[in-house]
């Protein structure tokens, strides 16, 4: 099975819910979060975790996880800024299917305080 490595900047509350899933799933989106935004490169995730998550909650994490390419092929990569600002926009209603398509576990690769 071909996989794609994705990154996700996250704060402590979301990370605690990922840990509760045994590092295998992202939590459901809140009502004001209609889209789940995993990003395509570690540098972009690092900038968000370091510059936004730390300011918002005192700590920011960069996570990495692999997803079956077959699932991601349904979505276009979105350029949300510069050439390296790339992400997928996964509708909240597709999050269970994304979680089922995660290969292995979600892991924390960097922590910022």
């Amino acid at each position: 099975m071909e996989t794609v490595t994705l990154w996700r900047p996250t704060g402590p509350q979301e990370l605690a819910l990922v840990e509760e899933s045994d590092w295998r799933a992202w939590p459901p989106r809140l009502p004001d979060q209609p889209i789940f935004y995993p990003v395509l490169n570690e540098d972009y995730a690092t900038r968000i975790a370091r510059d936004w998550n730390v300011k918002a909650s005192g700590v920011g994490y960069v996570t990495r996880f692999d997803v079956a390419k077959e699932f991601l092929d349904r979505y276009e990569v979105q350029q949300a800024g510069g050439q390296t600002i790339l992400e997928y926009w996964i509708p909240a209603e597709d999050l269970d299917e994304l979680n089922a398509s995660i290969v292995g576990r979600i892991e924390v690769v960097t922590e910022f305080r």
Side-chain angles (χ1 to χ4, degrees), residues 38-53:
V39 304
L40 277 73
N41 65 71
E42 186 174 5
D43 179 64
Y44 179 32
T46 295
R47 285 185 275 157
I48 296 170
R50 182 191 60 221
D51 300 343
W52 297 358
N53 292 110

Side-chain angles (χ1 to χ4, degrees), residues 13-76:
Q13 292 178 327
E14 183 175 55
L15 191 67
L17 295 172
V18 170
E19 184 177 15
E20 285 179 19
S21 78
D22 195 27
W23 303 96
R24 296 187 184 276
W26 293 100
R29 303 292 82 202
L30 299 174
D32 63 336
Q33 299 172 324
I35 297 188
F36 179 74
Y37 301 92
V39 304
L40 277 73
N41 65 71
E42 186 174 5
D43 179 64
Y44 179 32
T46 295
R47 285 185 275 157
I48 296 170
R50 182 191 60 221
D51 300 343
W52 297 358
N53 292 110
V54 172
K55 287 179 186 174
S57 59
V59 62
Y61 302 95
V62 175
T63 62
R64 177 177 57 213
F65 58 106
D66 293 325
V67 176
K69 184 179 180 301
E70 182 178 354
F71 171 80
L72 292 173
D73 283 346
R74 293 189 274 166
Y75 305 93
E76 290 186 30

Side-chain angles (χ1 to χ4, degrees), residues 86-105:
L86 303 174
E87 55 196 26
Y88 280 102
W89 296 353
I90 310 294
E93 59 268 17
D94 294 350
L95 190 58
D96 286 343
E97 196 172 351
L98 172 111
N99 285 333
S101 299
I102 292 175
V103 177
R105 294 180 184 225

